[in-house]
Amino acid sequence: MTIVGRSFVPLLMAVMVAGSSAGLALAGEAKAATSGVAVESPGQGELKGFVATPQTEAGGNRAFLLAPNSSWFLSTSPGASGARLIDINSGITLRFLTSPGLRIAALSISPDSKTVFARDDDGHVVAWNAATGRPAASELQPDLHEIARLSLSYESNDPENRAPPELLSRYHLQSHFPELKQSNEIMLNPTQEYAIVGYVGDADWKTFQVWDLKKERTAVFFRLANDACGGAPSAFDYDGKHLVFGNSGGGCDPNHIDFTVFEISYSRPDTEPRTAKATQSLGIKCSFPPDSGEVASQDFAISPSGNLMMRGGGMPGSPEWAAWDLRNGKQFASIRPDGYGIVSDDDSTIVVLHDLQPDDPSPSQLMTVRRRGKKATFEIPRSMQAQNWRPVILSPNGQWIASMVGGKVAVWSSDDGKILKEYDVGDRGRITDILRLSNTGDPLLINEDEGTAFVKGTWQPVRSVENGLIVPLTPYFHAECGVIFCDRVVADLGVVERKSLQGPLHADVRQNLSADGRFMIVRLDYTASGASRGTNITDIVDGHVVMHLDEFPIQFLSDGAHIIARDADFGSFVKYEIATGKRVWTAIPNWRRNGFHMILPDGHVRYTPPRADDLRLVRGFDIRPFDAAAAKQFVAPSDR
């Protein structure tokens, strides 16, 4: 884009290098996910009342809103579950403002900068005290600013993204910017007083102008250095004193800018045209440090036991699969090269199937097994080598590995890779993937059409009623007969027939059951605007809702007593006790992606040593470093 406005104000400007990864982070008076209760402070003496606040970022920013007092601003995205409140002088996240079920559609800040308002996509308005993050009265009718359509295209094939004709005509944008093309973007700030319209000059200059829509003239120019991470603006706000700018590469691009702050000063404020100077005051890091770009595309997960945070599953050729112990913060395993990784229920065994490239010297498909601290790499059984593998499964004790390709199942040792048994399970009817591999190496599959189970090397009848659901019998399973299911245990085959008491069963019910058989995940319908209404954890005995969660996806842990909920807006994992609904911890991958931070309900923290770069102490608008003195009061002891 090469768009130049017809009028402008001369600008003396510092060259700017833009800043960090985008997103929403668990911070400040942190979210106790479903209740919204603020985290307590374990600080004593001078640190009393301070909260250990992670600065880790997650998803991209699509809206900023500056406070009237210009001392802080909000950062969020349409449909997000909350907004970060960020100090404008330091860039530190002071707290995260959220409410159960919230999906933000509009924002507002009171004229005295003491209260923040948000409206969700169903019209409900919530409010918070800006100094504490706690709920505030929302009886006032704030001037809410829509954030859903701040990024527009001049002429888009998608009506939702197309710039409205009335916007173009009201502010005469086509006459001021005659070179507008279909691909050109028009960015609005939430109050719709200002716009950023394309580039100024050559796109490689990365120079932009903030256009005053009401006065129809340039308010300020700003420029990004050529080595700035990210691309064109996708969100900004401007108050005449500051310009807050951010963008998001989106998709697989990790180099999206979190935010950059420019201070605006004027050499002749009382005359026109005023000469403005923009100086970058914040924003010096990309989403990943230069030395950790190799893990930028990798994802995080929690192991079946809930004891390990795992990083892997990156683009083919990524260098490392890694895991950290959530009980003490230390690295648990490092396996190279990267690949699809699985962990046994008892954490004794890790298997990584390597994503080798076509030009790799070895044509074989390899796997590395780390078992009880020892690592070995060997070839996947030839019968299981295929361009697209079916899921690989581990026995709970980690001794055996199994996979299925076509109608063939193989079981092999995790110690040396030697085949234990191979089976031909046939291709009649709808046959499931391997549902369980016993500690003796016996695979379990179900033929959904025939109601039979493949156990001990043969197909055997199980189903006794038309709608019976066959599930594995785990060590934690407790037979129940309630309002949803009535159980028939077939102990000699290691399965349970769950007889439905409410009609035909949905295909994914099996994977939504807890290991003890007591609870079931029920995903709720969507709102009229397309936002999810969340998820219920339901007791199958009497049908009552044990927990309601806004986060998704949800993972039952292998003990049957806990769940992990992933919150994409926070980039975090939250562990809950099902019976009480209490939060056990919140774990967040750190900014360098080489470990995590954990927040406990009592305000204590745990992190991967030796650094705590992502933590700050926050009390209201007072900020202190997380130093050695803070660590003595705030760091939780190891769980073992």
Side-chain angles (χ1 to χ4, degrees):
M1 290 181 289
T2 55
I3 305 303
V4 182
R6 287 184 173 178
S7 61
F8 65 95
V9 177
L11 177 69
L12 303 176
M13 195 190 74
V15 175
M16 307 164 192
V17 179
S20 118
S21 134
L24 302 171
L26 176 67
E29 316 256 339
K31 173 187 181 186
T34 56
S35 64
V37 177
V39 168
E40 299 300 325
S41 170
Q44 302 294 324
E46 291 186 357
L47 299 182
K48 184 176 181 180
F50 279 88
V51 175
T53 307
Q55 303 295 303
T56 308
E57 295 101 4
N61 293 312
R62 293 292 176 178
F64 297 102
L65 184 61
L66 281 155
N69 66 8
S70 298
S71 64
W72 51 269
F73 63 92
L74 298 176
S75 172
T76 188
S77 294
S81 62
R84 280 189 295 158
L85 193 153
I86 300 172
D87 183 272
I88 203 166
N89 295 310
S90 65
I92 289 175
T93 297
L94 301 178
R95 59 200 119 265
F96 192 91
L97 308 176
T98 189
S99 179
L102 180 65
R103 294 292 180 265
I104 295 179
L107 287 171
S108 182
I109 302 173
S110 62
D112 59 8
S113 299
K114 291 183 178 180
T115 310
V116 174
F117 301 89
R119 190 189 73 235
D120 68 17
D121 51 17
D122 282 342
H124 177 63
V125 176
V126 294
W128 303 271
N129 183 307
T132 66
R134 298 183 183 277
S138 58
E139 288 80 10
L140 297 175
Q141 296 298 318
D143 182 17
L144 286 157
H145 308 298
E146 301 287 339
I147 64 171
R149 297 191 66 209
L150 299 179
S151 176
L152 303 170
S153 294
Y154 172 53
E155 286 184 359
S156 172
N157 293 327
D158 182 359
E160 288 296 317
N161 296 326
R162 186 183 306 150
E166 58 270 21
L167 174 72
L168 299 172
S169 60
R170 184 189 312 140
Y171 301 115
H172 309 100
L173 288 181
Q174 289 164 305
S175 61
H176 290 296
F177 301 96
E179 297 180 38
L180 279 173
K181 300 176 182 178
Q182 180 172 339
S183 60
N184 293 156
E185 286 193 330
I186 300 172
M187 296 303 310
L188 302 175
N189 76 323
T191 62
Q192 298 198 16
E193 296 176 278
Y194 300 95
I196 294 176
V197 187
Y199 292 98
V200 175
D202 192 296
D204 290 340
W205 297 351
K206 295 191 177 180
T207 304
F208 307 90
Q209 63 183 311
V210 176
W211 183 260
D212 189 318
L213 290 169
K214 294 182 178 179
K215 295 181 179 179
E216 297 189 27
R217 68 185 184 193
T218 299
V220 69
F221 282 102
F222 66 102
R223 182 185 178 193
L224 305 178
N226 285 336
D227 59 351
C229 44
S234 65
F236 81 101
D237 198 17
Y238 176 76
D239 64 359
K241 300 176 183 178
H242 302 90
L243 167 65
V244 180
F245 156 91
N247 71 16
S248 175
C252 297
D253 180 5
N255 295 320
H256 48 267
I257 299 169
D258 187 19
F259 59 84
T260 304
V261 176
F262 307 110
E263 292 186 358
I264 310 299
S265 59
Y266 302 91
S267 59
R268 291 184 294 171
D270 298 326
T271 60
E272 295 290 347
R274 296 187 296 175
T275 302
K277 180 179 180 181
T279 305
Q280 181 181 353
S281 57
L282 287 175
I284 57 174
K285 65 179 182 178
C286 298
S287 60
F288 296 93
D291 60 353
S292 70
E294 62 185 24
V295 300
S297 64
Q298 293 182 318
D299 198 7
F300 285 80
I302 303 296
S303 66
S305 67
N307 293 328
L308 304 178
M309 177 176 282
M310 309 176 296
R311 186 197 69 204
M315 299 295 288
S318 298
E320 181 193 38
W321 186 99
W324 295 268
D325 196 322
L326 291 163
R327 295 163 292 188
N328 56 34
K330 296 179 180 179
Q331 187 169 60
F332 186 82
S334 172
I335 298 175
R336 292 173 177 261
D338 185 25
Y340 171 72
I342 53 174
V343 181
S344 62
D345 288 353
D346 65 358
D347 297 327
S348 68
T349 308
I350 297 168
V351 173
V352 174
L353 307 175
H354 297 303
D355 251 337
L356 301 180
Q357 299 303 291
D359 57 353
D360 285 325
S362 173
S364 302
Q365 293 177 344
L366 304 178
M367 66 192 312
T368 294
V369 178
R370 179 190 183 276
R371 180 160 167 76
R372 305 196 186 282
K374 297 181 179 180
K375 285 195 294 188
T377 298
F378 44 78
E379 188 176 325
I380 294 171
R382 288 285 180 177
S383 59
M384 294 294 103
Q385 293 195 22
Q387 186 173 3
N388 296 306
W389 299 321
R390 298 295 291 273
V392 173
I393 189 169
L394 271 170
S395 59
N397 62 6
Q399 185 175 356
W400 305 106
I401 309 167
S403 184
M404 180 171 69
V405 173
K408 295 192 177 297
V409 172
V411 179
W412 62 97
S413 169
S414 61
D415 292 318
D416 54 19
K418 293 183 178 178
I419 289 284
L420 172 68
K421 290 180 180 178
E422 289 187 296
Y423 305 94
D424 186 348
V425 297
D427 57 2
R428 295 185 310 169
R430 294 175 295 129
I431 299 176
T432 65
D433 293 324
I434 304 170
L435 299 181
R436 185 202 61 201
L437 182 64
S438 74
N439 283 339
T440 59
D442 182 27
L444 169 67
L445 300 87
I446 304 297
N447 187 317
E448 304 280 25
D449 290 335
E450 298 178 357
T452 55
F454 187 85
V455 182
K456 301 176 182 177
T458 62
W459 287 104
Q460 303 189 48
V462 174
R463 187 179 292 151
S464 64
V465 296
E466 181 179 359
N467 295 320
L469 179 71
I470 306 169
V471 299
L473 177 61
T474 71
Y476 299 101
F477 186 85
H478 304 290
E480 307 285 359
C481 194
V483 298
I484 300 178
F485 299 112
C486 198
D487 293 328
R488 169 178 163 260
V489 177
V490 189
D492 59 321
L493 298 181
V495 298
V496 178
E497 182 187 20
R498 310 213 81 167
K499 300 179 180 180
S500 173
L501 301 179
Q502 296 185 348
L505 300 170
H506 196 272
D508 61 1
V509 169
R510 185 184 289 110
Q511 65 190 43
N512 290 329
L513 294 171
S514 61
D516 62 0
R518 181 66 183 269
F519 303 103
M520 181 171 65
I521 295 173
V522 179
R523 184 87 182 265
L524 303 182
D525 291 335
Y526 290 86
T527 64
S529 62
S532 171
R533 295 185 185 274
T535 305
N536 287 340
I537 307 297
T538 303
D539 189 323
I540 71 163
V541 174
D542 57 15
H544 85 279
V545 176
V546 180
M547 298 174 63
H548 173 81
L549 295 163
D550 299 312
E551 301 92 334
F552 194 83
I554 292 172
Q555 165 191 349
F556 281 117
L557 296 183
S558 56
D559 64 4
H562 297 87
I563 60 170
I564 297 290
R566 183 163 190 175
D567 191 323
D569 289 332
F570 289 92
S572 65
F573 299 88
V574 188
K575 181 179 179 179
Y576 297 101
E577 184 180 53
I578 299 174
T580 63
K582 292 182 178 179
R583 182 173 64 92
V584 181
W585 47 249
T586 300
I588 314 164
N590 63 23
W591 184 70
R592 292 181 175 270
R593 300 307 196 252
N594 61 359
F596 66 90
H597 291 94
M598 176 182 287
I599 309 298
L600 300 173
D602 62 1
H604 282 90
V605 299
R606 184 175 295 140
Y607 55 86
T608 302
R611 306 161 67 113
D613 295 0
D614 296 347
L615 292 173
R616 298 291 187 276
L617 294 183
V618 176
R619 182 178 62 193
F621 293 96
D622 190 5
I623 304 167
R624 296 197 182 186
F626 193 91
D627 53 18
K632 290 180 181 179
Q633 296 189 35
F634 284 84
V635 175
S638 171
D639 286 347
R640 61 173 186 174

